[in-house]
Amino acid sequence: MQRRAERDQVVQRAKRLHRVLVCAAAVPVMLIAAGCSSDSGSGGDSGSGGGSNSGKGADSGASASASAAPTVQAAAYNSLPDACGTLSKKTLKALAPEASKGKKGTSEAGTRGSCSWSSLDNNGVKGSQFRWLNVSLLRFESDASRGTGEAQAAKYYEQQIQDAQSVAGAKNTKSQAVGGTGDAATLVRYDLKKKEGAFKQQTVVTRVENVVVTVDYNGAGLAGDKTPSADDLGKLAERAAKETVAAVSAANGEGAANPAPTGSASKDPSKAPSKSASPSASPSKSASKSASPSKSAAKTS
């Protein structure tokens, strides 16, 4: 009986020890499970937070994209003067003494305009002196797809010079820079022989800010009269260009008394006039509107 009791006690102690070991082994598993559960929950929060941050990133990305939308500086000039009113009576008398009044060409308010004067001093059998003058203006508006008005005007300025230098039938073509007129100015001169006489063509192309001014001026001695001096005609054409540039500046709120250069650097871009409602001029369209040197030389009366 005593031995049985001792064996029962040993068995009981063995069972208690087993339970202790089992529980001890279970504790790390529970801790690990709890840790995993905590990490999982944290991961879920992190994932949720990550989703939120991703949303914020998308919002900030969209905002950055919107703020990075292409912008372009507004054009400096938003008006043009009446082409037929750009020259003073004194200047018109010097260039086209027998002209009555200017003939307005194709125009679009604030964007393009042109005017021409034809003068024939008829001396009968002693011959005649012919003069033809055309002033054209073209303004470019800034556009995000095409660039600033000044950049477009600069491109068209170069195009006009090239057109004047490549007139069919022109002889003795020469080009020279003209100072004191707009931001850039070039005089292109050449001789053009016609059945009516020998014409001396002068074309002055000027850019002032986002406006291009083209002055076409030619003269000829008809019916045996002497051919006019190319130098004299060139000086008169430059005078007309300078006066037209002054008229453009005056139309945009600047002093008309001094037709000296009005370079872009002289104005604060932040104070540039607001855009006009008129559509921007396209170089390809404007080229067809301006007077062609070859056409101007062909006009005799």
Side-chain angles (χ1 to χ4, degrees):
M1 292 292 293
Q2 184 177 359
R3 291 180 180 174
R4 184 182 297 174
E6 289 176 353
R7 282 199 303 270
D8 291 340
Q9 290 177 0
V10 171
V11 171
Q12 292 298 326
R13 284 197 299 270
K15 288 181 178 182
R16 285 196 296 269
L17 180 59
H18 177 71
R19 284 197 299 269
V20 170
L21 293 175
V22 170
C23 290
V27 169
V29 175
M30 293 174 64
L31 291 176
I32 292 172
C36 293
S37 176
S38 175
D39 289 344
S40 176
S42 174
D45 293 341
S46 175
S48 176
S52 176
N53 290 339
S54 176
K56 291 180 180 179
D59 292 342
S60 62
S63 176
S65 176
S67 63
T71 59
V72 64
Q73 180 177 320
Y77 288 163
N78 65 354
S79 299
L80 287 180
D82 177 9
C84 290
T86 56
L87 303 178
S88 66
K89 291 182 178 180
K90 184 177 181 180
T91 296
L92 284 173
K93 189 67 176 177
L95 276 79
E98 300 302 320
S100 55
K101 64 177 183 178
K103 180 181 179 181
K104 184 174 291 188
T106 302
S107 64
E108 185 177 344
T111 300
R112 60 165 58 89
S114 66
C115 192
S116 62
W117 296 262
S118 182
S119 170
L120 180 63
D121 184 7
N122 192 341
N123 296 311
V125 295
K126 294 182 180 181
S128 303
Q129 285 292 320
F130 172 77
R131 302 289 185 272
W132 188 81
L133 169 67
N134 185 83
V135 173
S136 65
L137 306 96
L138 186 63
R139 186 185 68 84
F140 293 84
E141 187 63 272
S142 294
D143 182 88
S145 62
R146 290 192 293 268
T148 65
E150 285 76 4
Q152 295 178 67
K155 183 177 180 180
Y156 183 67
Y157 166 78
E158 296 294 341
Q159 177 186 324
Q160 286 288 84
I161 294 173
Q162 292 176 11
D163 288 347
Q165 292 171 333
S166 57
V167 173
K171 303 293 184 181
N172 304 319
T173 302
K174 297 179 181 179
S175 302
Q176 63 188 61
V178 177
T181 305
D183 297 313
T186 300
L187 167 64
V188 179
R189 59 169 61 177
Y190 54 83
D191 300 334
L192 197 62
K193 187 72 174 179
K194 294 286 184 178
K195 63 180 181 179
E196 297 87 357
F199 287 80
K200 297 290 185 179
Q201 173 70 34
Q202 315 292 316
T203 299
V204 180
V205 185
T206 305
R207 182 186 72 81
V208 54
E209 298 291 1
N210 55 309
V211 175
V212 175
V213 172
T214 303
V215 173
D216 284 308
Y217 184 51
N218 64 54
L222 307 180
D225 205 349
K226 65 178 182 179
T227 301
S229 165
D231 289 339
D232 291 343
L233 295 178
K235 290 177 181 178
L236 289 171
E238 290 179 19
R239 173 178 170 181
K242 185 175 295 186
E243 206 164 293
T244 303
V245 167
V248 172
S249 297
N252 288 275
E254 297 182 357
N258 181 13
T262 56
S264 301
S266 64
K267 278 191 280 297
D268 182 355
S270 64
K271 296 181 181 180
S274 59
K275 296 181 180 179
S276 66
S278 62
S280 59
S282 168
S284 59
K285 293 182 180 179
S286 60
S288 63
K289 303 294 183 182
S290 60
S292 167
S294 58
K295 292 182 180 179
S296 63
K299 295 179 180 283
T300 59
S301 60

